[in-house]
C-alpha cells in the first residue's frame, strides 16, 4: 500500500507548489480532480496534449497518480436535477445527464493516456429520501432501471479503454451502503469496469462497518479514500448522523475527521484491505473541520504511515 492525498486540500496553492508540498508532507501519490472549474487540471487542455504536461509535472515532483476524480459531474448521471446540481451544468435533466456522461468519458480517456486506469466518481440518484419507503414504497426500485441505463454504457466505454469507474458510496447516491453497492454490481451484470472507491468515513455516515464492505467487495476496491468520521459524545442523544448545519458547529452529531482522530479503527481497516489483496493507494481526503489544511494532512500521515503493510501474509508457521 502507498499513501496519497486528494488534491482538494492543496487547492490554495499553485499546482506545481501543491505537488511539491504533497511530496514534502510524505505522500508518494496524488488523486487529481478534473471537474470544470477546479484550479489544477483543465480536462480538455490535458486531453489536447494527451496528458504530457501532467506526466511531466508529476515526474518532477516524484509523485505517482492514483486516480482521476470526476465526482461533481458524474453526480449528473442520475441527478437530482433541481437547484442541487444547477451550478454544475445548466439545462434540462437530459442535457445535464449527457454532460455528466461526457465528462466521465473524457476523464477515462485522460486516465488511459496517463496509464492510471481509475476514475473515481458518483452516479447520483433521483432522490435519497427514497431510502425510506414512504410516500412511494417502491421509489428506490424505480431508480434501478435508470441506474442501469445510465451506467452500463459508460462501463462498456471505460472497459474498452482499460479503465475502471471507482464508484464512491456516499449519501445522495444510488449506492450508499453495502447492500446498495452489491445491488449496483448485480444491476450491471458484474461488469468488470465497475469498481469502488472505498471511503470509510462515508460508510460510517451510513452506519456501515468498512471492514464488512471490504470483506464482501474487496476484489472490486480499486482506490481508497483515507477519511475518518466521528459522532461526538456531546452530541449523541440529541443529534444523529443526519445532523444539519455547518460542519464545524459545536454539537453537530456527525463530522468527518482525518485518520486517527475519529471513531474508526484503522488497524482493522488496513488489515481487511491487506487480507483482501489491496496493494493500491490510500488517498487522504482531508475534510476535518477541526484542523487546518496542512496540520490535518500532517496528522494523517503521522497516523497511517506506521500502519501500512507491504508483505503478503505467509502460510502458518506456528
Amino acid at each position: 500500500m502507498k499513501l496519497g492525498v486528494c488534491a482538494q486540500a492543496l487547492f490554495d496553492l499553485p499546482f506545481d507548489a501543491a505537488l511539491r508540498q504533497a511530496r514534502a508532507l510524505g505522500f508518494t501519490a496524488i488523486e487529481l480532480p478534473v471537474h470544470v472549474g477546479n484550479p489544477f487540471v483543465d480536462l480538455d487542455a490535458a486531453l489536447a496534449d494527451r496528458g504530457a504536461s501532467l506526466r511531466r509535472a508529476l515526474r518532477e515532483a516524484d509523485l505517482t497518480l492514483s486516480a482521476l476524480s470526476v465526482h461533481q459531474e458524474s453526480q449528473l448521471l442520475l441527478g437530482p436535477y433541481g437547484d442541487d446540481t444547477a451550478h454544475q451544468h445548466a439545462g434540462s435533466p437530459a442535457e445535464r445527464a449527457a454532460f455528466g456522461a461526457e465528462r466521465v468519458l473524457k476523464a477515462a480517456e485522460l486516465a488511459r493516456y496517463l496509464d492510471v486506469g481509475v476514475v473515481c466518481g458518483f452516479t447520483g440518484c433521483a432522490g435519497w429520501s427514497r431510502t425510506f419507503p414512504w410516500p412511494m414504497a417502491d421509489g428506490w426500485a424505480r431508480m434501478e432501471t435508470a441506474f442501469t441505463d445510465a451506467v452500463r454504457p459508460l462501463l462498456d466505454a471505460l472497459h474498452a479503454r482499460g479503465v475502471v469507474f471507482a464508484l464512491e458510496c456516499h449519501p445522495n447516491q444510488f449506492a450508499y451502503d453495502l447492500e446498495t453497492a452489491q445491488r449496483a454490481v448485480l444491476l450491471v451484470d458484474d461488469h468488470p469496469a465497475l469498481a469502488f472507491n472505498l471511503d470509510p468515513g462515508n460508510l460510517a455516515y451510513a452506519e456501515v462497518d468498512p471492514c464488512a464492505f471490504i470483506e464482501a467487495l474487496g476484489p472490486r476496491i480499486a482506490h481508497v479514500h483515507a477519511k475518518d468520521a466521528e459522532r461526538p459524545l456531546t452530541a449523541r442523544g440529541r443529534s444523529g448522523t443526519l445532523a444539519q448545519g455547518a460542519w464545524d458547529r459545536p454539537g453537530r452529531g456527525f463530522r468527518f475527521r482525518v485518520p486517527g482522530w475519529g471513531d474508526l479503527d484503522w488497524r482493522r481497516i488496513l488489515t481487511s484491505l491487506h487480507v483482501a489483496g489491496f496493494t493500491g493507494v490510500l488517498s487522504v481526503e482531508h475534510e476535518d473541520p477541526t484542523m487546518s489544511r496542512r496540520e490535518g494532512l500532517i496528522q494523517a500521515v503521522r497516523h497511517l504511515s506506521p500502519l501500512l503493510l507491504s508483505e503478503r501474509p505467509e502460510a502458518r508457521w506456528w
Side-chain angles (χ1 to χ4, degrees), residues 143-290:
M143 295 192 296
E144 292 187 348
T145 299
F147 175 85
T148 304
D149 290 348
V151 174
R152 181 61 193 257
L154 281 178
L155 295 177
D156 289 341
L158 267 64
H159 187 57
R161 292 166 171 78
V163 176
V164 299
F165 182 69
L167 176 59
E168 182 175 335
C169 293
H170 187 280
N172 223 354
Q173 307 304 318
F174 180 81
Y176 62 89
D177 64 2
L178 175 53
E179 289 186 343
T180 50
Q182 291 173 314
R183 183 65 179 160
V185 174
L186 183 64
L187 288 170
V188 295
D189 300 318
D190 297 319
H191 201 293
L194 180 61
F196 288 96
N197 178 41
L198 175 75
D199 189 313
N202 293 346
L203 292 176
Y205 189 85
E207 299 186 344
V208 173
D209 184 344
C211 295
F213 191 99
I214 296 165
E215 289 168 11
L217 291 170
R220 286 189 180 268
I221 295 174
H223 195 256
V224 175
H225 274 175
K227 186 170 73 186
D228 212 324
E230 178 186 35
R231 288 205 60 200
L233 290 173
T234 55
R236 295 186 186 187
R238 62 188 179 92
S239 179
T241 58
L242 299 180
Q244 296 295 320
W247 284 98
D248 60 350
R249 74 168 175 84
R252 198 181 196 281
F254 181 91
R255 60 190 177 190
F256 292 125
R257 304 298 310 272
V258 296
W261 288 78
D263 297 333
L264 298 177
D265 185 338
W266 286 89
R267 286 180 173 82
R268 286 186 63 238
I269 293 170
L270 295 188
T271 297
S272 294
L273 285 168
H274 188 57
V275 171
F278 180 79
T279 58
V281 173
L282 305 174
S283 185
V284 173
E285 186 177 31
H286 178 10
E287 297 178 346
D288 190 325
T290 75

Side-chain angles (χ1 to χ4, degrees), residues 4-249:
V5 62
C6 298
Q8 287 88 336
L10 302 167
F11 274 178
D12 59 322
L13 299 173
F15 181 53
D16 289 341
L19 295 182
R20 291 193 299 272
Q21 177 74 263
R23 193 67 186 90
L25 289 171
F27 298 107
T28 60
I30 192 166
E31 171 190 351
L32 291 175
V34 294
H35 60 270
V36 172
N38 85 83
F40 283 174
V41 180
D42 182 318
L43 179 54
D44 292 321
L47 283 170
D49 78 350
R50 294 178 171 245
S53 298
L54 281 176
R55 279 196 303 273
R56 182 168 56 252
L58 290 166
R59 183 172 60 251
E60 290 174 356
D62 192 25
L63 288 171
T64 61
L65 181 64
S66 66
L68 298 178
S69 60
V70 65
H71 291 79
Q72 293 196 31
E73 289 146 0
S74 59
Q75 175 81 32
L76 297 174
L77 294 174
L78 297 176
Y81 297 117
D83 292 341
D84 310 74
T85 56
H87 66 286
Q88 292 161 350
H89 189 70
S92 68
E95 289 169 334
R96 293 192 208 182
F99 178 75
E102 175 190 354
R103 297 294 292 183
V104 172
L105 287 175
K106 284 185 175 182
E109 189 69 9
L110 181 57
R112 182 174 71 89
Y113 290 147
L114 295 171
D115 297 318
V116 67
V118 180
V119 172
C120 299
F122 294 144
T123 64
C125 68
W128 200 50
S129 62
R130 293 180 181 178
T131 55
F132 194 85
W134 189 91
M136 187 186 296
D138 64 342
W140 202 266
R142 291 189 185 193
M143 295 192 296
E144 292 187 348
T145 299
F147 175 85
T148 304
D149 290 348
V151 174
R152 181 61 193 257
L154 281 178
L155 295 177
D156 289 341
L158 267 64
H159 187 57
R161 292 166 171 78
V163 176
V164 299
F165 182 69
L167 176 59
E168 182 175 335
C169 293
H170 187 280
N172 223 354
Q173 307 304 318
F174 180 81
Y176 62 89
D177 64 2
L178 175 53
E179 289 186 343
T180 50
Q182 291 173 314
R183 183 65 179 160
V185 174
L186 183 64
L187 288 170
V188 295
D189 300 318
D190 297 319
H191 201 293
L194 180 61
F196 288 96
N197 178 41
L198 175 75
D199 189 313
N202 293 346
L203 292 176
Y205 189 85
E207 299 186 344
V208 173
D209 184 344
C211 295
F213 191 99
I214 296 165
E215 289 168 11
L217 291 170
R220 286 189 180 268
I221 295 174
H223 195 256
V224 175
H225 274 175
K227 186 170 73 186
D228 212 324
E230 178 186 35
R231 288 205 60 200
L233 290 173
T234 55
R236 295 186 186 187
R238 62 188 179 92
S239 179
T241 58
L242 299 180
Q244 296 295 320
W247 284 98
D248 60 350
R249 74 168 175 84

